[in-house]
Amino acid sequence: MHTREEQMKAFGRLLDVLDQLREKCPWDKKQTNESLRPNTIEETFELCDAIMRGDSHDMMKELGDVLMHTCFYAMIAREKGLYDIADVLNTETDKLIFRHPHIYHPSQVGAPDPKPLPFGEDDSEREFANAKTSEQVLQNWEQIKLKEKDGNKSVLSGVPAALPSLIKAYRIQDKARNVGFDWQQKEDVWNKVHEELRELEEELAKEDKEKSTNELGDFLFSVINAARLYKLNPDDALERTNRKFIHRFNYIEEHSIKACKPLTEMSLEEMDKLWNEAKKEEK
């Protein structure tokens, strides 16, 4: 692994190249925050894909792409006289220090070389200073964010509106949990799941599309809630199932091509047989 000096030199090298590209490359010259945004979303999803595949080499590359975009946005802001990458880094560092009062004294916010506790003083009475578990840290985190000058105005305001619905539901529930709004016993959530499923089935039987859509949302929200309570990530779980389905369906399609028989001409029984073969192959 590289030394801190080597790491900082590599970061400076990236900034130098970005400056040169911004000056000399026709494509880089014309980029704006708005034009970069779709690429940023794509790069983020590519990073998430590498994480799901457990491919550390691809993760390294995709992290570089995401970091490059962060630096590019800061470079555009610098040109407008708004802020630069140092402001981005210092703001993030101060935010981390402020939100970890069990690690840092408030005096370390803005310090050029922040030092963690202890300072030789008794911090036992200071607010949020005694978080001993990850659960306490998360609960404190939400409370501290509400106290920040430019922080969230409400507990749920920190959930981005543009998040995919499944992830948004999980984050909403998690943030509510951190201020005490949660099931006392995780097993109790199953009554809610079963209740929502019954209500969905009732509306489906009536063939009321509008009410069925509402009840489907309630049912999915309750299942996501159950996953959270059992410390399972529903987005990861669904992505694993997506990948399994793709692999098994591709297996069917490959065999249909080998047999010179289009999928549309295969019987459901034939496809089921190949599906089960693909499952065995996975094991």
Side-chain angles (χ1 to χ4, degrees):
M1 293 293 103
H2 296 87
T3 64
R4 179 54 57 90
E5 182 181 358
E6 290 170 332
Q7 293 169 2
M8 297 306 295
K9 185 176 180 181
F11 188 56
R13 182 167 172 256
L14 171 63
L15 295 178
D16 288 342
V17 168
L18 283 174
D19 282 343
Q20 292 162 5
L21 292 176
R22 184 67 167 172
E23 179 185 352
K24 301 177 182 300
C25 174
W27 185 88
D28 287 270
K29 279 183 181 180
K30 64 183 289 189
Q31 296 314 304
T32 64
N33 289 333
E34 292 73 24
S35 68
L36 280 175
R37 180 177 174 274
N39 293 29
T40 306
I41 294 170
E42 181 180 340
E43 297 296 355
T44 304
F45 276 106
E46 287 180 356
L47 171 59
C48 293
D49 180 65
I51 292 170
M52 284 299 297
R53 288 186 283 107
D55 190 324
S56 57
H57 180 71
D58 276 2
M59 272 186 64
M60 178 195 67
K61 293 196 301 180
E62 300 304 339
L63 281 168
D65 290 339
V66 172
L67 177 60
M68 183 274 287
H69 276 247
T70 300
C71 295
F72 209 145
Y73 287 117
M75 183 169 60
I76 292 171
R78 183 190 66 197
E79 293 169 356
K80 296 178 180 179
L82 300 174
Y83 56 84
D84 63 17
I85 192 64
D87 296 310
V88 173
L89 297 172
N90 285 324
T91 299
E92 182 64 21
T93 302
D94 285 338
K95 182 167 65 175
L96 288 172
I97 293 170
F98 184 77
R99 293 184 185 176
H100 289 80
H102 54 294
I103 303 296
Y104 295 98
H105 189 274
S107 63
Q108 296 304 289
V109 174
D113 185 21
K115 303 293 185 185
L117 293 167
F119 287 88
E121 62 203 65
D122 182 7
D123 283 317
S124 59
E125 299 302 318
R126 188 161 49 79
E127 191 176 25
F128 307 124
N130 293 303
K132 302 297 183 185
T133 67
S134 61
E135 289 295 317
Q136 287 178 306
V137 172
L138 285 174
Q139 290 169 9
N140 290 350
W141 184 275
E142 294 300 333
Q143 296 291 326
I144 293 168
K145 285 169 72 173
L146 294 173
K147 293 177 178 288
E148 290 175 345
K149 181 181 177 181
D150 56 352
N152 298 333
K153 304 305 180 212
S154 68
V155 172
L156 299 182
S157 64
V159 180
L163 272 181
S165 297
L166 191 152
I167 299 174
K168 186 191 292 186
Y170 187 91
R171 294 295 295 136
I172 288 170
Q173 295 165 2
D174 203 40
K175 284 183 174 291
R177 173 186 67 87
N178 287 330
V179 293
F181 189 75
D182 204 2
W183 300 92
Q184 290 188 338
Q185 301 294 328
K186 64 183 179 182
E187 294 80 8
D188 294 341
V189 74
W190 294 113
N191 291 330
K192 187 64 174 175
V193 172
H194 296 148
E195 174 191 330
E196 298 296 353
L197 178 57
R198 285 194 301 272
E199 291 178 359
L200 172 59
E201 290 173 333
E202 288 171 7
E203 295 304 333
L204 288 171
K206 297 175 187 175
E207 298 185 354
D208 187 321
K209 186 173 182 180
E210 182 67 21
K211 289 183 178 178
S212 294
T213 300
N214 290 337
E215 294 301 338
L216 176 59
D218 291 345
F219 173 64
L220 292 173
F221 194 86
S222 68
V223 171
I224 292 167
N225 213 353
R228 177 187 60 81
L229 287 163
Y230 282 84
K231 302 189 184 304
L232 302 173
N233 187 308
D235 188 63
D236 288 348
L238 184 58
E239 180 57 21
R240 288 187 188 186
T241 297
N242 288 340
R243 290 174 183 273
K244 282 192 295 186
F245 187 96
I246 290 170
H247 171 261
R248 294 171 189 177
F249 195 83
N250 284 346
Y251 184 91
I252 295 172
E253 192 170 22
E254 288 166 6
H255 280 71
S256 76
I257 293 171
K258 289 178 183 177
C260 298
K261 189 174 186 178
L263 285 173
T264 52
E265 295 180 10
M266 293 183 74
S267 67
L268 185 56
E269 290 75 14
E270 289 175 306
M271 287 192 279
D272 275 341
K273 181 182 178 182
L274 290 169
W275 179 276
N276 289 326
E277 286 180 11
K279 284 179 66 175
K280 289 179 181 178
E281 184 185 83
E282 289 170 357
K283 293 178 181 178

